[in-house]
Amino acid sequence: MPSVQDILISRVRAAVGAAVGGEHADLEPLVSPSTNTKFGDYQVNAAMSLGKRLGQKPRDLAEKIADRLQVADLCEKVEVAGGGFINLRLREAFLNDQLSALARDDRLGVAPADPPRTIVVDYSGPNVAKEMHVGHLRSTVIGDAIARVLEFQGHRVIRQNHLGDWGTQFGMLIQHLQERGSAGGTLQGDLNELYQEAKRRFDADERFAERARQRVVLLQSGDPDTLRQWRELVAISKRHFQQVYERLDVSLTEGDYRGESSYNNMLGEVVSGLDQLGLLRESEGAQVVYPAGFTDRQGQPQPMIVRKTDGGYLYATTDLAAARWRIEQLQADRLIYVTDARQSQHFAMVFATLRAAGWAPDRVQLEHVPFGTVLGEDHKPFKTRSGEVVKLLELLDEAEQRAEAIINQKNPQLPRDQRRVIAHAVGIGALKYADLASDRIKDYVFSW
């Protein structure tokens, strides 16, 4: 259904044609919402630019247009103001009719996208073998809102949960599991505790660190026992992630998971492809690209490393591979990445490299949707007094408990099961709303 603004534009065009002739009726009438609602709901600026063209005073021309403006069914007041503005105030009855019509329409008056596009939205992206914490809330909630809105518009939305499921930390974790002798290395207990135990050993014991590095080699070469334990870590982590997503009513499913490991066999091809295109350079033994327009503090071209001196790959290499796969295999028209604003330069450099290599043609939109960091009350990236981040499940529990306490106080007569249902809706809804209602770009302070 046409918007109120579209209806008003049509009426203003007709009035302009009646006032100064049909040849001027195609002039953009410049109908816009009023900047100050005390003057009206909409403002018509057509007389300002048209007056100059016709050599007439804009105020006089605005009077002519207003006299011929047929909007009695829409507006309770039409008023010429200032040097030639026309202010319009809508009738309450008209607004009621519009809202009633919208309420009967499943799409609330929003036209389906034409043409629909294939859009990949990359969001959430937690790390395997670590529990989700409050820092994961923003990407998850903002990304899901974007995916749902685009889907409602009629686009084909492909969600991608880019899990951190590969790298040195898995050698460390698997070696620690092997050596602590728990059921042949079977994962038991708290994911975060396991990670912290392994990290303390890795930092303090050089011999363990070397064994962990060797375990990485075994993992990358496909050692069956090492792969089994890695898959177990991934499976247990996915179950935890899904538990969080279900509590949050987030639309990510296990079918949307695609970890860093998925792109391993493409990384060498990325580097060799950059080399063949003449974009690869060597810097202090590492292989790098120099995306145009990026300089360091000394004004020198800034490199983006795609292969380290030891032959290892970096996030940039994986992100290049993932983008190519999404464009070529998923046939994406638009890629959206929802991450912390501190990654803004990283993605700008990745996007510039994709363009320079021709891997992202002009038809494909590349967008980073940054958001501010979650800070503690000391205005530093959020951690508890013990130095640990708050687990996201603990935050969800706290929100529901606080909501239930209010319900128990105000409506103790409600059945207990009903109070819990309401507490879940209010607690989780409040968390999501608080995040979406704040300025996306700004950092915000987390406080219980």
Side-chain angles (χ1 to χ4, degrees), residues 351-385:
F351 294 166
T353 304
L354 288 166
R355 296 290 191 204
W359 294 338
D362 291 341
R363 69 166 182 83
V364 178
Q365 284 179 259
L366 304 173
E367 297 170 75
H368 178 222
V369 177
F371 54 81
T373 307
V374 179
L375 304 176
E377 293 186 65
D378 58 358
H379 290 263
K380 295 179 181 178
F382 182 76
K383 290 183 179 179
T384 62
R385 290 177 185 173

Coordinates of all heavy atoms in Angstrom, one line a residue, residues 351-385:
F351 N 38.1 -6.1 2.4 CA 37.2 -5.7 1.3 C 38.0 -5.1 0.2 O 37.8 -5.4 -1.0 CB 36.2 -4.7 1.8 CG 35.2 -5.2 2.8 CD1 34.4 -4.3 3.5 CD2 35.1 -6.6 3.0 CE1 33.5 -4.8 4.4 CE2 34.1 -7.1 4.0 CZ 33.3 -6.2 4.7
A352 N 39.0 -4.3 0.5 CA 39.8 -3.6 -0.5 C 40.6 -4.7 -1.3 O 40.8 -4.6 -2.5 CB 40.8 -2.6 0.1
T353 N 41.1 -5.7 -0.6 CA 41.8 -6.8 -1.3 C 40.9 -7.6 -2.2 O 41.3 -8.0 -3.3 CB 42.5 -7.7 -0.2 OG1 43.4 -6.9 0.6 CG2 43.3 -8.8 -0.8
L354 N 39.7 -7.9 -1.7 CA 38.7 -8.6 -2.5 C 38.4 -7.9 -3.8 O 38.3 -8.5 -4.9 CB 37.4 -8.9 -1.7 CG 37.5 -9.9 -0.6 CD1 36.3 -9.7 0.3 CD2 37.6 -11.3 -1.1
R355 N 38.3 -6.6 -3.7 CA 38.0 -5.8 -4.9 C 39.3 -5.8 -5.9 O 39.1 -6.0 -7.1 CB 37.7 -4.3 -4.5 CG 36.5 -4.1 -3.7 CD 35.2 -4.4 -4.5 NE 34.0 -4.0 -3.7 CZ 32.8 -4.4 -3.9 NH1 32.6 -5.4 -4.8 NH2 31.8 -4.0 -3.2
A356 N 40.4 -5.6 -5.3 CA 41.7 -5.5 -6.1 C 41.9 -6.8 -6.8 O 42.4 -6.8 -8.0 CB 42.9 -5.2 -5.2
A357 N 41.6 -7.9 -6.2 CA 41.8 -9.3 -6.8 C 40.7 -9.6 -7.8 O 40.8 -10.6 -8.5 CB 41.9 -10.3 -5.7
G358 N 39.6 -8.9 -7.8 CA 38.5 -9.2 -8.6 C 37.6 -10.3 -8.1 O 36.7 -10.8 -8.8
W359 N 37.8 -10.7 -6.8 CA 37.0 -11.8 -6.2 C 35.7 -11.3 -5.8 O 34.8 -12.1 -5.6 CB 37.8 -12.4 -5.1 CG 39.1 -13.1 -5.5 CD1 39.3 -13.6 -6.7 CD2 40.2 -13.4 -4.7 NE1 40.6 -14.1 -6.8 CE2 41.2 -14.0 -5.5 CE3 40.6 -13.1 -3.4 CZ2 42.4 -14.5 -5.1 CZ3 41.8 -13.5 -2.9 CH2 42.7 -14.2 -3.7
A360 N 35.5 -10.0 -5.6 CA 34.2 -9.4 -5.3 C 33.9 -8.4 -6.3 O 34.4 -7.2 -6.3 CB 34.3 -8.7 -3.9
P361 N 33.1 -8.8 -7.3 CA 32.7 -7.9 -8.4 C 31.9 -6.7 -7.9 O 31.4 -6.8 -6.8 CB 32.0 -8.8 -9.4 CG 31.5 -10.0 -8.6 CD 32.5 -10.2 -7.5
D362 N 31.7 -5.7 -8.7 CA 31.0 -4.5 -8.3 C 29.6 -4.8 -7.9 O 29.0 -4.1 -7.1 CB 31.0 -3.5 -9.4 CG 32.4 -2.9 -9.7 OD1 33.2 -3.0 -8.7 OD2 32.7 -2.3 -10.8
R363 N 29.0 -5.9 -8.5 CA 27.6 -6.2 -8.2 C 27.4 -6.6 -6.7 O 26.3 -6.6 -6.2 CB 27.1 -7.3 -9.1 CG 27.7 -8.6 -8.8 CD 27.0 -9.8 -9.5 NE 27.6 -11.1 -9.1 CZ 27.4 -11.8 -8.0 NH1 26.5 -11.3 -7.1 NH2 28.0 -12.9 -7.8
V364 N 28.5 -7.0 -6.1 CA 28.4 -7.5 -4.7 C 28.7 -6.4 -3.7 O 29.8 -5.8 -3.8 CB 29.4 -8.7 -4.5 CG1 29.4 -9.2 -3.0 CG2 29.1 -9.8 -5.4
Q365 N 27.8 -6.2 -2.8 CA 28.0 -5.2 -1.7 C 28.8 -5.9 -0.6 O 28.4 -7.0 -0.2 CB 26.7 -4.7 -1.1 CG 25.9 -3.7 -2.0 CD 24.6 -3.3 -1.4 OE1 23.6 -3.8 -1.8 NE2 24.7 -2.4 -0.4
L366 N 29.8 -5.1 -0.1 CA 30.5 -5.6 1.1 C 30.3 -4.6 2.2 O 30.7 -3.5 2.1 CB 32.0 -5.7 0.7 CG 32.4 -6.6 -0.5 CD1 33.9 -6.4 -0.9 CD2 32.1 -8.0 -0.2
E367 N 29.8 -5.1 3.3 CA 29.5 -4.2 4.4 C 29.9 -4.7 5.8 O 29.6 -5.9 6.1 CB 28.0 -3.9 4.5 CG 27.4 -3.3 3.2 CD 25.9 -3.3 3.2 OE1 25.3 -2.5 4.0 OE2 25.3 -4.1 2.5
H368 N 30.6 -3.9 6.5 CA 30.9 -4.2 7.9 C 29.9 -3.4 8.8 O 29.8 -2.2 8.6 CB 32.3 -3.8 8.2 CG 32.7 -4.1 9.7 ND1 33.4 -3.2 10.4 CD2 32.4 -5.1 10.5 CE1 33.6 -3.7 11.6 NE2 33.0 -4.8 11.7
V369 N 29.2 -4.0 9.7 CA 28.3 -3.4 10.6 C 28.9 -3.4 12.0 O 28.9 -4.4 12.7 CB 26.9 -4.1 10.7 CG1 26.0 -3.5 11.7 CG2 26.3 -4.1 9.3
P370 N 29.7 -2.4 12.3 CA 30.4 -2.4 13.6 C 29.5 -2.0 14.8 O 28.5 -1.3 14.6 CB 31.5 -1.3 13.4 CG 30.8 -0.3 12.4 CD 29.9 -1.1 11.5
F371 N 29.9 -2.4 15.9 CA 29.2 -2.0 17.1 C 30.2 -1.7 18.2 O 31.4 -2.2 18.2 CB 28.2 -3.0 17.6 CG 28.8 -4.4 17.8 CD1 29.4 -4.8 18.9 CD2 28.6 -5.4 16.8 CE1 30.0 -6.1 19.1 CE2 29.1 -6.7 16.9 CZ 29.8 -7.0 18.1
G372 N 29.8 -0.9 19.2 CA 30.7 -0.5 20.3 C 31.0 -1.7 21.2 O 30.3 -2.7 21.3
T373 N 32.1 -1.5 22.0 CA 32.5 -2.6 22.9 C 31.7 -2.5 24.2 O 31.3 -1.5 24.6 CB 34.0 -2.3 23.2 OG1 34.7 -2.2 22.0 CG2 34.6 -3.5 24.1
V374 N 31.5 -3.7 24.8 CA 30.9 -3.8 26.1 C 31.9 -3.5 27.1 O 32.9 -4.2 27.2 CB 30.2 -5.2 26.3 CG1 29.6 -5.2 27.7 CG2 29.2 -5.5 25.3
L375 N 31.8 -2.4 27.9 CA 32.8 -2.0 28.9 C 32.3 -2.3 30.3 O 31.1 -2.4 30.6 CB 33.0 -0.5 28.8 CG 33.5 0.0 27.4 CD1 33.6 1.5 27.5 CD2 34.8 -0.6 27.0
G376 N 33.2 -2.5 31.2 CA 32.9 -2.6 32.6 C 32.7 -1.3 33.2 O 32.9 -0.2 32.5
E377 N 32.4 -1.2 34.5 CA 32.1 0.1 35.1 C 33.4 0.9 35.3 O 33.3 2.1 35.6 CB 31.4 -0.1 36.4 CG 30.0 -0.6 36.2 CD 29.2 -0.7 37.5 OE1 28.9 0.3 38.1 OE2 28.8 -1.8 37.9
D378 N 34.6 0.3 35.0 CA 35.8 1.0 35.0 C 36.1 1.5 33.6 O 37.2 2.1 33.3 CB 37.0 0.1 35.4 CG 37.1 -1.1 34.6 OD1 36.3 -1.3 33.6 OD2 38.0 -2.0 34.8
H379 N 35.2 1.4 32.7 CA 35.3 1.8 31.3 C 36.4 1.1 30.5 O 36.9 1.7 29.5 CB 35.4 3.4 31.2 CG 34.2 4.1 31.6 ND1 33.3 4.6 30.7 CD2 33.7 4.4 32.8 CE1 32.3 5.1 31.4 NE2 32.5 5.0 32.7
K380 N 36.7 -0.1 30.9 CA 37.6 -1.0 30.2 C 36.8 -2.1 29.7 O 35.7 -2.4 30.2 CB 38.7 -1.4 31.1 CG 39.6 -0.3 31.5 CD 40.8 -0.8 32.4 CE 41.6 0.4 32.9 NZ 42.7 0.0 33.8
P381 N 37.3 -2.9 28.6 CA 36.5 -4.0 28.1 C 36.1 -4.9 29.3 O 36.9 -5.2 30.2 CB 37.5 -4.7 27.2 CG 38.3 -3.6 26.6 CD 38.5 -2.6 27.8
F382 N 34.8 -5.3 29.3 CA 34.2 -5.8 30.5 C 34.8 -7.1 31.0 O 35.0 -8.1 30.2 CB 32.7 -6.1 30.2 CG 32.0 -6.6 31.4 CD1 31.6 -5.8 32.4 CD2 31.6 -7.9 31.4 CE1 31.0 -6.3 33.5 CE2 31.0 -8.4 32.5 CZ 30.6 -7.6 33.6
K383 N 35.1 -7.2 32.3 CA 35.5 -8.4 33.0 C 35.0 -8.3 34.4 O 34.8 -7.2 34.9 CB 37.0 -8.6 33.0 CG 37.6 -8.9 31.6 CD 39.1 -9.2 31.6 CE 39.6 -9.6 30.3 NZ 41.0 -9.8 30.3
T384 N 34.9 -9.4 35.1 CA 34.5 -9.3 36.5 C 35.7 -9.0 37.3 O 36.8 -8.9 36.8 CB 34.0 -10.7 37.0 OG1 35.0 -11.7 36.8 CG2 32.8 -11.2 36.2
R385 N 35.5 -8.8 38.6 CA 36.7 -8.5 39.5 C 37.8 -9.6 39.5 O 38.9 -9.3 39.7 CB 36.2 -8.3 40.9 CG 35.4 -7.0 41.1 CD 34.8 -6.9 42.5 NE 33.9 -5.7 42.6 CZ 33.3 -5.4 43.7 NH1 33.3 -6.2 44.8 NH2 32.5 -4.4 43.8

